[in-house]
Amino acid sequence: MKRDDIHAEIYGTKALDNNPKSYQMTLLVGEVVMGHIGEHDIDRDEKLAKAAKAFNDTIELVKTAEKPNPALPDATWAEFKKGEAAEAHNGLGLLAIYRKDYPTAVTEFKAAIEGDPQDAYTTRLASAYQLSGNNDEAIALCDKLLANPQIHPQIKAAVTSIKSQATNAKNKK
């Protein structure tokens, strides 16, 4: 909440020392580390590996996580766990984009959408398609998103840009 990512990573890691099964802390550590990966960082590969491990750990830990409250309906708990795993898949997709591994990004964003079909994940999938040269798929996803009159203005701007890039790349062929 304080946007103090350095301390968030330190205390998240310490919390994992005490409870290595905390999927919320692995997710936090993955997101914080990912947020500080620069293209020319000397330790870029280490940061990418650390974030990827944290996201993969989150996906595995969520599968066996126990309900925090027995009164919580099973369906609600299952949806929550799917959302947490989707967030981790989204992180893995973003890491794949950083690595310019677009086929992996496509796979991870599809997994994120399967767990939580939100517009941000679909936008990132369209971007991964466009970056990988699958412009028809990118355009189709963009058209689907733009057909929603309730789309958030920031997402609409991003989707419009992705569609324009995909259309331009397609027309150059």
Side-chain angles (χ1 to χ4, degrees):
M1 287 174 47
K2 294 167 89 176
R3 300 277 183 211
D4 186 357
D5 292 342
I6 293 170
H7 283 104
E9 181 182 351
I10 291 167
Y11 289 110
T13 303
K14 284 184 179 187
L16 286 170
D17 289 342
N18 291 330
N19 181 7
K21 293 185 178 190
S22 175
Y23 60 87
Q24 292 169 316
M25 283 300 113
T26 56
L27 187 59
L28 172 91
V29 169
E31 289 175 343
V32 168
V33 171
M34 182 180 63
H36 292 281
I37 298 174
E39 188 174 343
H40 302 291
D41 287 354
I42 294 171
D43 59 348
R44 184 175 195 269
D45 290 338
E46 292 168 23
K47 289 178 182 176
L48 286 166
K50 183 175 184 175
K53 181 184 181 325
F55 290 133
N56 282 313
D57 287 351
T58 300
I59 292 165
E60 290 306 311
L61 290 169
V62 162
K63 290 177 185 176
T64 59
E66 295 181 21
K67 278 197 289 188
N69 180 351
L72 186 68
D74 289 342
T76 303
W77 177 238
E79 282 302 307
F80 176 79
K81 289 182 3 175
K82 281 175 56 177
E84 294 292 286
E87 198 169 336
H89 280 293
N90 177 64
L92 289 169
L94 291 170
L95 291 174
I97 295 251
Y98 292 169
R99 290 183 174 116
K100 298 183 184 345
D101 181 0
Y102 305 123
T104 299
V106 166
T107 300
E108 292 298 340
F109 290 133
K110 283 182 178 179
I113 292 165
E114 187 177 308
D116 184 7
Q118 58 175 276
D119 291 345
Y121 298 161
T122 306
T123 302
R124 291 181 183 130
L125 175 59
S127 178
Y129 274 138
Q130 190 277 318
L131 291 167
S132 66
N134 295 321
N135 295 306
D136 289 332
E137 290 91 342
I139 292 167
L141 276 177
C142 289
D143 287 341
K144 179 182 171 189
L145 286 163
L146 292 171
N148 176 4
Q150 302 297 321
I151 192 169
H152 190 280
Q154 286 180 315
I155 290 178
K156 183 176 183 177
V159 169
T160 302
S161 175
I162 293 165
K163 182 177 179 181
S164 175
Q165 292 169 5
T167 303
N168 289 340
K170 186 178 172 184
N171 291 336
K172 288 182 181 180
K173 288 185 178 181

